[in-house]
Amino acid sequence: MSDTNKTATLTIDGQSHELPIFSPTLGPDVIDIRKLYAQAGVFTYDPGFTSTASCDSTITFIDGGKGELLHRGYPIDQLAGKSHYLEVCFLLLYGNLPTAKELEDFETRITRHTMVHEQMHNFFRGFRRDAHPMATMVGVVGAMSAFYADSADVNDPWQREVACIRLIAKLPTIAAMAYKYSIGQPFVYPRNDLDYAANFLHMCFSVPAEEYNVDPILARAMDRIFTLHADHEQNASTSTVRLASSSGANPFACIAAGIACLWGPAHGGANQACLEMLREIGTVDRIPEFIARAKDKDDPFRLMGFGHRVYKNTDPRAKVLKQSADEVLELLGVDDNPLLQVAKELEHTALNDPYFIDKKLFPNVDFYSGIILEAMGFPTSMFTPIFALSRTVGWISQWKEMIGDPQNKIGRPRQLYLGETERNYEDIENR
Ligand code: CMC
């Protein structure tokens, strides 16, 4: 952040207040209002943070107009095409692409932490069998602070590092266990000879009774889904993690808070909601009815998997996933699946409809990820857990950045109070 010598002038009741303007390396200038209340006695009002930068960060940048997503400066399509998830994890956590030796060491460290404390198996068994895997994950990740208390001290840099590694390594194991538990199958231990994505498929789909070989094309598609979801600037769940950690809460509790926020259908829960919507539409001839509902102001229905707060041109993650979806569907021989026909036709219809064109509503990452995950054999309830495990590296990188910042302060928004003014308590017999 650099001072620009530019200032903004705010005039209230004839009195002017000069506000410094900062220039980022990319993106619009930012007016610094930190001293506004002390100087002018007013707050600013921005529910939903549509015009407010909540922090400074060097990790991820989105240009919504251009449809660009950069991690530490590298475009997401290059990372998805040439790199792989663990290399991107290193990049997000430490700031640069690793050397071959650094990558090998990092992969070894992650691999050594993939198992969970054996007593966690008992903890899982406390949940109802039909619990949604996201409900289980919120609980189990929060409980990591009980199982891994030796890496929960946020003031110790070594413990912070161990917490990052443990979270990235164990989240696939926890997500797979949540799935296995929900379908009544035995937990499958991680295999350290497999790569990160292949190991996750193994933990989800293998059973002790028979041999399971991971298809390398499916492992590559899985890895790409992880990579495309790795981080996404100051979205709702990341901001939740930052706000939770601003109080000094331990990293496991903060990531559990992020998972809870991600679950909502306007955020990470959209991939499940999108597939459920495609099922509800059912056949291509019913698409006009649902398009009409999405456009009707009096109907709360929205096309799930469409639209984005920041992207107003295209979602670059969706572009990569669309291609991946074609590859996976062809490999699995399911490209004539009726659900996929509905998805393709819905996409085509919406992209040519003036309502969606005018409001700049495009398919987002959740539209295509659901289609691929469905084809791979995941139930819809696992879509958001997969998003959560992929995003853990983004959350923990942003957490690490924030904790390491000497300017870190507890997050404490103000409000526009519209309630009653002070009134006197009435005894119950007089009300
Ligand atoms: N279907 C129909 N209309 C829509 C949709 C949609 N999916 N999305 C936005 N609109 C309309 C909305 O009704 C509003 O119309 P008007 O200006 O007439 O009131 C206008 O477009 C702007 O919408 P908004 O709600 O003010 O925009 P937002 O930036 O607050 O919301 C969003 C962004 C992603 C929550 C929203 O587009 C949405 O609900 N999409 C469906 C859920 C979804 O797919 N979420 C996943 C987002 S990507 C993954 C992630 O980052 O989590």
Side-chain angles (χ1 to χ4, degrees):
M1 164 169 82
S2 69
D3 253 314
T4 54
N5 293 328
K6 283 194 272 179
T7 55
T9 307
L10 179 70
T11 307
I12 305 170
D13 293 336
Q15 195 168 347
S16 295
H17 304 277
E18 295 291 305
L19 301 168
I21 297 185
F22 297 130
S23 264
T25 46
L26 290 171
D29 283 352
V30 171
I31 303 172
D32 178 5
I33 58 163
R34 282 175 295 176
K35 297 198 175 123
L36 182 64
Y37 177 55
Q39 283 174 6
V42 292
F43 298 147
T44 55
Y45 179 61
D46 186 17
F49 297 98
T50 52
S51 302
T52 297
S54 60
C55 62
D56 53 80
S57 179
T58 59
I59 302 174
T60 292
F61 174 75
I62 302 173
D63 184 326
K66 280 202 227 158
E68 183 177 71
L69 168 61
L70 307 177
H71 290 324
R72 304 284 192 184
Y74 296 100
I76 191 65
D77 52 331
Q78 289 187 23
L79 294 174
K82 298 183 182 179
S83 182
H84 60 88
Y85 183 67
L86 281 188
E87 189 177 48
V88 173
C89 288
F90 185 100
L91 174 69
L92 288 168
L93 267 180
Y94 305 114
N96 287 303
L97 287 170
T99 62
K101 174 80 178 77
E102 284 170 335
L103 183 59
E104 193 189 325
D105 287 351
F106 181 66
E107 288 181 339
T108 305
R109 277 192 294 150
I110 295 288
T111 306
R112 292 290 172 274
H113 281 280
T114 49
M115 290 207 302
V116 295
H117 194 291
E118 195 62 14
Q119 207 169 326
M120 268 200 165
H121 293 220
N122 301 335
F123 188 78
F124 265 94
R125 293 194 173 98
F127 289 96
R128 280 172 60 135
R129 278 279 175 199
D130 58 357
H132 192 290
M134 278 300 273
T136 314
M137 280 184 73
V138 173
V140 174
V141 174
M144 284 178 80
S145 34
F147 288 97
Y148 303 105
D150 59 347
S151 55
D153 180 354
V154 298
N155 297 314
D156 177 339
W158 185 81
Q159 292 199 30
R160 297 206 295 259
E161 175 66 16
V162 176
C164 292
I165 298 294
R166 279 181 166 155
L167 278 157
I168 297 168
K170 294 184 198 306
L171 257 287
T173 314
I174 290 170
M177 287 170 81
Y179 172 49
K180 287 296 198 190
Y181 187 73
S182 72
I183 56 171
Q185 287 188 2
F187 298 134
V188 174
Y189 286 96
R191 263 182 52 190
N192 289 353
D193 60 318
L194 296 174
D195 67 36
Y196 193 86
N199 176 49
F200 178 64
L201 292 174
H202 152 77
M203 290 188 291
C204 287
F205 294 126
S206 72
V207 288
E210 57 188 58
E211 178 107 358
Y212 172 78
N213 292 314
V214 184
D215 187 308
I217 297 184
L218 294 188
R220 177 74 192 124
M222 191 76 255
D223 188 88
R224 201 171 272 167
I225 287 181
F226 292 161
T227 302
L228 291 170
H229 288 82
D231 193 38
H232 214 226
E233 244 205 29
Q234 307 310 321
N235 55 82
S237 56
T238 302
S239 299
T240 301
V241 170
R242 279 187 178 259
L243 195 55
S245 78
S246 76
S247 72
N250 77 67
F252 306 110
C254 296
I255 300 303
I259 295 173
C261 176
L262 185 79
W263 195 358
H267 192 8
N271 49 17
Q272 172 169 354
C274 176
L275 244 282
E276 285 165 0
M277 174 193 76
L278 293 176
R279 286 215 182 95
E280 197 190 342
I281 297 175
T283 48
V284 169
D285 58 301
R286 294 191 65 207
I287 289 175
E289 177 195 330
F290 282 82
I291 293 273
R293 283 187 59 195
K295 295 191 315 195
D296 181 354
K297 278 238 152 293
D298 299 325
D299 189 330
F301 174 78
R302 286 187 167 199
L303 275 198
M304 300 315 283
F306 274 77
H308 199 273
R309 168 64 62 80
V310 185
Y311 295 122
K312 297 298 169 198
N313 176 350
T314 176
D315 178 342
R317 305 165 300 171
K319 255 187 1 204
V320 180
L321 269 191
K322 185 174 161 67
Q323 192 194 334
S324 220
D326 291 340
E327 282 167 24
V328 169
L329 300 183
E330 197 189 315
L331 172 82
L332 297 173
V334 291
D335 37 358
D336 57 348
N337 176 321
L339 199 73
L340 301 168
Q341 299 304 326
V342 172
K344 281 186 184 161
E345 190 51 36
L346 180 69
E347 178 197 18
H348 177 76
T349 311
L351 287 178
N352 289 292
D353 186 297
Y355 173 94
F356 292 89
I357 296 170
D358 294 349
K359 293 190 187 299
K360 302 188 188 331
L361 301 169
F362 297 84
N364 58 47
V365 69
D366 290 318
F367 188 74
Y368 299 106
S369 65
I371 293 170
I372 301 179
L373 294 172
E374 158 94 4
M376 280 176 154
F378 285 104
T380 49
S381 60
M382 274 305 284
F383 294 2
T384 319
I386 289 170
F387 192 157
L389 84 85
S390 320
R391 181 57 57 83
T392 294
V393 68
W395 290 328
I396 204 69
S397 302
Q398 304 262 353
W399 169 83
K400 190 174 162 228
E401 178 178 69
M402 181 174 172
I403 297 283
D405 180 354
Q407 291 198 63
N408 181 19
K409 266 178 184 282
I410 187 165
R412 186 21 176 122
R414 308 307 290 251
Q415 63 175 2
L416 168 63
Y417 176 69
L418 298 173
E420 298 285 350
T421 54
E422 186 171 336
R423 47 186 175 164
N424 283 326
Y425 180 83
E426 293 275 3
D427 290 331
I428 197 158
E429 58 275 15
N430 299 331
R431 285 178 220 159

